[in-house]
Amino acid sequence: MSVLDSFDVALLRALQENCQQTSQQLAEQIGLSPTAVQRRIKKLREQGVIQKEVAILNTQMLGNRMTVIIQVILEKGGPQVVDAFKRRMRKFREVQQCYYVAGEYDFVLVVNVGNITEYDILTRKLFPEDLKISKFYTIIAIEAVKADLSLPI
Amino acid sequence: MSVLDSFDVALLRALQENCQQTSQQLAEQIGLSPTAVQRRIKKLREQGVIQKEVAILNTQMLGNRMTVIIQVILEKGGPQVVDAFKRRMRKFREVQQCYYVAGEYDFVLVVNVGNITEYDILTRKLFPEDLKISKFYTIIAIEAVKADLSLPI
DNA sequence: ATTGAAAGATGACCGCA
DNA sequence: TGCGGTCATCTTTCAAT
């Protein structure tokens, strides 16, 4: 993995804002030729620095969906319990984010569901009896003031 | 705002995975002609259903950055305090996500910084004396097991 | 849904450090 | 050798039918 120069950083910043810009537009912004921009994008994709390029949808336009934050404490029990939990979380499309955290809780989840009924159904599937969940706390989001994943590089 | 049919939903699902697919690729997946796909994408963008299209970067490839979750309690004091806080959070690139929440806390933030020193500097800027912050609790993420914003539609 | 014109991406080639 | 620039070609988009 080669090191990123200032052109790469400028390019990544621009692509985090909008990845549909033409190489010409990007080229003007960062001061390079369109072809050089393309070559760099290709490389950054291959290296995995650019993980994916995705559409961000407007939650408010898709029925009043709700976001909840769930803090989870697992019953004490080795890394295999933790790993099983991680694998489980990755499977559920409703679990947008899952952080393995230090401190009082073991995991913090950001979950998106259509309504409170779906929330209830989901938690039963996420945390079945046989899974070693000790306790979980739910925080309901009233408003997503800001929601992106861009890195402040 | 017109209602979404099953083609739109299929299209949105695909674009949440990868927004760089050609209209031909998308057309094959959802069973429509490339032109129809283009028209629908155009409309969904104009309507704002597709909010933006962005590159997701690999945190691990950009120096060992850290994610922290911060729970904030404001001092009691009308909507103008809440609004001022929201406006402030939107300004900071390090604040990836900010949820206004119900319950014990007023806000939950997901913050990304380069290291613990940057975290310290940031919190001083995020929560200056004059702002009505009563208390904040920080949770350090050991690992981002999953991090996306795609909606489970 | 098909078609044709315009725009953009991709690859080959040259030059420079 | 690695990287940037230009040019030619192929692909994709987009609007009109």
Side-chain angles (χ1 to χ4, degrees), chain B residues 37-53:
Chain B
V37 168
Q38 290 182 3
R39 266 196 297 262
R40 280 169 184 265
I41 292 177
K42 186 167 188 279
K43 196 171 174 186
L44 291 166
R45 283 186 185 133
E46 285 167 357
Q47 287 178 139
V49 177
I50 297 176
Q51 209 165 49
K52 39 170 25 191
E53 288 153 280

Side-chain angles (χ1 to χ4, degrees), chain A residues 54-121:
Chain A
V54 303
I56 305 294
L57 309 186
N58 187 337
T59 314
Q60 315 208 58
M61 291 225 161
L62 289 150
N64 278 350
R65 304 192 61 82
M66 58 188 290
T67 298
V68 301
I69 294 155
I70 307 180
Q71 296 168 320
V72 182
I73 301 174
L74 296 184
E75 280 175 25
K76 294 300 157 247
Q80 63 275 25
V81 174
V82 171
D83 287 348
F85 188 83
K86 288 181 189 174
R87 255 179 278 115
R88 189 168 188 78
M89 294 307 107
R90 280 192 265 257
K91 277 188 208 155
F92 286 85
R93 301 200 333 117
E94 292 90 343
V95 179
Q96 292 185 324
Q97 294 161 66
C98 172
Y99 299 99
Y100 180 45
V101 299
E104 188 180 351
Y105 307 104
D106 294 311
F107 287 93
V108 176
L109 313 177
V110 177
V111 166
N112 189 280
V113 288
N115 53 54
I116 195 75
T117 307
E118 278 186 28
Y119 161 79
D120 188 49
I121 294 167

Side-chain angles (χ1 to χ4, degrees), chain B residues 7 11 23-24 26-37 40:
Chain B
F7 288 118
L11 188 50
S23 43
Q24 191 162 9
L26 292 163
E28 284 163 19
Q29 286 174 57
I30 71 178
L32 231 47
S33 74
T35 319
V37 168
R40 280 169 184 265

Side-chain angles (χ1 to χ4, degrees), chain A:
Chain A
M1 168 203 168
S2 62
V3 75
L4 306 176
D5 65 14
S6 65
F7 287 118
D8 288 320
V9 172
L11 189 50
L12 292 171
R13 264 191 212 137
L15 293 172
Q16 283 197 123
E17 282 291 314
N18 177 6
C19 68
Q20 296 293 17
Q21 297 175 87
T22 65
S23 43
Q24 191 162 11
Q25 291 174 304
L26 293 164
E28 283 163 20
Q29 287 173 56
I30 72 177
L32 230 49
S33 75
T35 314
V37 168
Q38 300 251 24
R39 271 196 289 256
R40 279 171 183 265
I41 292 176
K42 185 166 188 278
K43 197 171 175 185
L44 291 166
R45 283 188 185 130
E46 284 167 358
Q47 287 177 142
V49 177
I50 296 175
Q51 210 165 50
K52 38 169 27 191
E53 287 152 281
V54 303
I56 305 294
L57 309 186
N58 187 337
T59 314
Q60 315 208 58
M61 291 225 161
L62 289 150
N64 278 350
R65 304 192 61 82
M66 58 188 290
T67 298
V68 301
I69 294 155
I70 307 180
Q71 296 168 320
V72 182
I73 301 174
L74 296 184
E75 280 175 25
K76 294 300 157 247
Q80 63 275 25
V81 174
V82 171
D83 287 348
F85 188 83
K86 288 181 189 174
R87 255 179 278 115
R88 189 168 188 78
M89 294 307 107
R90 280 192 265 257
K91 277 188 208 155
F92 286 85
R93 301 200 333 117
E94 292 90 343
V95 179
Q96 292 185 324
Q97 294 161 66
C98 172
Y99 299 99
Y100 180 45
V101 299
E104 188 180 351
Y105 307 104
D106 294 311
F107 287 93
V108 176
L109 313 177
V110 177
V111 166
N112 189 280
V113 288
N115 53 54
I116 195 75
T117 307
E118 278 186 28
Y119 161 79
D120 188 49
I121 294 167
L122 179 67
T123 55
R124 287 164 206 268
K125 286 194 283 187
L126 278 180
F127 314 130
E129 289 299 329
D130 60 312
L131 221 80
K132 299 277 184 255
I133 307 294
S134 167
K135 190 106 191 66
F136 69 92
Y137 302 91
T138 297
I139 300 172
I140 308 247
I142 300 167
E143 181 194 351
V145 177
K146 187 177 192 175
D148 75 56
L149 292 174
S150 67
L151 298 177
I153 55 172

Side-chain angles (χ1 to χ4, degrees), chain B:
Chain B
M1 169 204 168
S2 60
V3 76
L4 306 176
D5 66 14
S6 65
F7 288 118
D8 287 321
V9 172
L11 188 50
L12 292 172
R13 264 191 211 138
L15 292 173
Q16 284 197 124
E17 281 292 315
N18 177 7
C19 68
Q20 296 294 16
Q21 298 174 88
T22 65
S23 43
Q24 191 162 9
Q25 290 174 304
L26 292 163
E28 284 163 19
Q29 286 174 57
I30 71 178
L32 231 47
S33 74
T35 319
V37 168
Q38 290 182 3
R39 266 196 297 262
R40 280 169 184 265
I41 292 177
K42 186 167 188 279
K43 196 171 174 186
L44 291 166
R45 283 186 185 133
E46 285 167 357
Q47 287 178 139
V49 177
I50 297 176
Q51 209 165 49
K52 39 170 25 191
E53 288 153 280
V54 302
I56 305 294
L57 309 187
N58 186 337
T59 314
Q60 315 208 61
M61 291 226 160
L62 289 149
N64 278 351
R65 304 193 60 84
M66 57 188 291
T67 298
V68 301
I69 294 155
I70 307 180
Q71 296 169 319
V72 182
I73 301 175
L74 296 184
E75 282 176 23
K76 293 301 156 247
Q80 63 274 27
V81 174
V82 171
D83 287 347
F85 188 83
K86 288 181 189 173
R87 257 180 277 116
R88 190 170 188 77
M89 293 307 106
R90 279 192 265 256
K91 278 188 208 153
F92 286 85
R93 297 197 339 113
E94 292 90 344
V95 179
Q96 292 185 323
Q97 293 162 67
C98 170
Y99 299 98
Y100 180 44
V101 299
E104 187 181 351
Y105 307 104
D106 295 310
F107 287 92
V108 176
L109 313 177
V110 177
V111 166
N112 188 280
V113 288
N115 53 53
I116 195 74
T117 306
E118 278 185 28
Y119 161 79
D120 188 49
I121 294 167
L122 179 68
T123 54
R124 288 164 205 268
K125 287 195 283 187
L126 279 180
F127 314 130
E129 290 298 330
D130 60 311
L131 221 80
K132 300 278 185 251
I133 307 294
S134 167
K135 191 107 191 66
F136 69 91
Y137 302 91
T138 298
I139 299 172
I140 308 249
I142 300 166
E143 182 195 351
V145 176
K146 186 177 193 176
D148 75 55
L149 293 175
S150 68
L151 299 177
I153 55 173

